[in-house]
């Protein structure tokens, strides 16, 4: 029963998103598309941080790898489908490469390894002008075509990104509920106990990091044609910290947490622009207050409020059952 209601809620949410662009302007549709792309990257961070219990400060670097890879391949005439999977594949392989030495360290030490990698990628993007264009970036990145029809119109491209994001979300949903996902959760809860139960800690840690990195590459392949111009700024250390903040704000280890966190990071600043120069101050204050009073994130807060709402009904049910039991001879 609950499973059916959950799937119905998902179908309603996807339908609402599909219909949302019909009543929005070009910039609003762009922001919605950016939210979807950001949520895909945040899904990867949530797998690494929320499910496998590791740390990463390199997601923006993988986003940059995917964006530049897809943009360069598109300029070379490679179809978007191949460029998209190449972006995810190179990010997966790079995640494996930096994951091997990082397996010797855990938690905040692993965060420093990924931090160094993030800075390295940003320096390569910024200084290797022959390949990346340096600070001038790459411009005139064309949006893909689908069955011969151009996806340049903003609504068509949004639906295209929505379909890919839905497929990647379903793949992540399947993964976290598979035996692999249970192994990731065991790593987060107690690595020593997981190893005693036969879980290969090194292999699953590396796999979680590589898959999470691949999601960053997939998001980058969607980001490049969305903005149609890329430079080193969005792939610096600051955006990587923001991706980690999204997961924490939304709810680390919660499947819908990355979508909520991405909405806070992407949509909330736009909604606060009516405050003009004060909107960033209001945004920062709201995030600080939320983290101070709700460390489990917005999804955890919603679950707590739902439990409080249901508590009177449960108390009444328990009292009724107790009274019925006492009335029996």
């Amino acid at each position: 029963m609950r499973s059916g209601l959950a799937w119905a809620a998902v179908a309603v949410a996807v339908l609402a998103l599909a219909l949302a662009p019909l009543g929005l302007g070009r910039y609003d549709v762009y922001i919605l598309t950016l939210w979807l792309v950001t949520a895909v990257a945040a899904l990867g961070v949530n797998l690494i941080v929320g499910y496998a219990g590791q740390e990463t400060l390199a997601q923006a670097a993988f986003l940059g790898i995917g964006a530049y890879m897809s943009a360069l391949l598109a300029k070379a005439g490679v179809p978007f489908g191949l460029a998209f999977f190449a972006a995810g594949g190179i990010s997966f392989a790079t995640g494996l490469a930096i994951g091997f030495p990082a397996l010797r360290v855990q938690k905040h030490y692993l965060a420093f390894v990924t931090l160094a990698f993030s800075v390295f990628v940003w320096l390569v993007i910024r200084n290797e002008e022959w390949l990346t264009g340096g600070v001038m970036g790459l411009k005139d990145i064309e949006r893909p075509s689908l069955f011969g029809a151009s996806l340049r119109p903003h609504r068509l491209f949004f639906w295209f990104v929505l379909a890919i994001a839905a497929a990647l979300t379903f793949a992540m949903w399947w993964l976290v509920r598979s035996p692999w996902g249970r192994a990731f959760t065991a790593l987060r809860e107690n690595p020593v106990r997981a190893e005693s139960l036969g879980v290969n800690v090194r292999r699953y840690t590396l796999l979680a990091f590589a898959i999470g990195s691949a999601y960053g590459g997939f998001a980058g392949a969607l980001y490049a044609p969305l903005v149609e111009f890329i430079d080193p700024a969005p792939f610096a250390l600051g955006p990587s910290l923001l991706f980690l903040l999204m997961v924490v704000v939304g709810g680390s280890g919660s499947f819908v947490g990355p979508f909520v966190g991405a909405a806070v990071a992407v949509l909330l600043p736009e909604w606060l622009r009516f405050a003009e120069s004060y909107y960033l101050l209001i945004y920062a204050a709201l995030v600080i207050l939320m983290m101070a009073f709700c460390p489990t994130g917005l999804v955890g807060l919603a679950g707590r409020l739902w439990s409080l709402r249901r508590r009177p009904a449960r108390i009444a049910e328990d009292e009724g059952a107790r009274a019925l039991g006492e009335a029996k001879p």
Side-chain angles (χ1 to χ4, degrees), residues 53-309:
Q54 303 301 313
E55 301 290 345
T56 179
L57 294 174
Q59 194 69 345
F62 288 110
L63 190 79
I65 290 172
Y68 276 92
M69 172 64 72
S70 63
L72 291 171
L73 290 177
K75 287 182 176 293
V78 176
F80 177 80
L82 293 178
F84 178 79
F85 286 107
I90 193 66
S91 298
F92 182 90
T94 306
L96 287 177
I98 70 170
F100 273 114
L103 285 176
R104 296 181 176 272
V105 294
Q106 297 290 329
K107 298 296 181 180
H108 53 283
Y109 297 105
L110 178 58
F112 282 118
V113 172
T114 58
L115 184 151
F117 174 74
S118 182
V119 173
F120 170 76
V121 171
W122 181 78
L123 288 174
V124 170
I125 292 174
R126 184 177 184 274
N127 296 325
E128 300 302 319
E129 298 182 3
W130 63 275
L131 180 65
T132 65
V135 294
M136 302 303 294
L138 297 178
K139 59 181 180 180
D140 299 328
I141 302 172
E142 295 184 0
R143 291 184 177 176
S145 300
L146 185 65
F147 303 117
S150 174
L151 297 176
R152 185 168 180 79
H154 56 286
R155 290 189 179 91
L156 291 181
F157 189 70
F158 170 81
W159 288 323
F160 177 71
V161 172
L162 177 62
I164 294 178
L168 291 174
T169 301
F170 178 79
M172 182 64 73
W173 176 86
W174 175 84
L175 177 66
V176 298
R177 282 159 178 77
S178 69
W180 289 358
R182 290 190 289 271
F184 295 150
T185 304
L187 294 179
R188 179 192 65 193
E189 299 299 332
N190 193 327
V192 176
R193 184 180 180 184
E195 189 171 17
S196 69
L197 294 174
V199 176
N200 190 320
V201 173
R202 294 171 62 87
R203 180 184 300 171
Y204 279 99
T205 300
L206 187 61
L207 185 63
F209 193 85
I211 295 175
S213 302
Y215 268 70
F218 288 138
L222 296 173
Y223 177 79
L226 170 65
V227 297
E228 301 180 275
F229 168 80
I230 52 175
D231 66 342
F235 315 118
L237 178 60
S240 286
L241 293 171
L242 184 59
F243 280 118
L244 185 59
L245 178 65
M246 291 177 201
V247 172
V248 174
V249 168
S252 180
S254 168
F255 190 77
V256 298
F259 293 93
V260 177
V264 172
V266 177
L267 302 181
L268 185 59
E270 297 297 326
W271 296 338
L272 292 176
R273 285 192 182 276
F274 69 90
E276 297 181 351
S277 59
Y278 295 102
Y279 87 95
L280 285 177
L281 181 62
I282 297 173
Y283 171 70
L286 289 174
V287 172
I288 292 172
L289 288 173
M290 193 210 68
M291 293 310 302
F293 294 101
C294 187
T296 56
L298 289 175
V299 174
L301 177 61
R304 189 184 308 171
L305 293 175
W306 178 256
S307 298
L308 291 175
R309 180 178 177 273

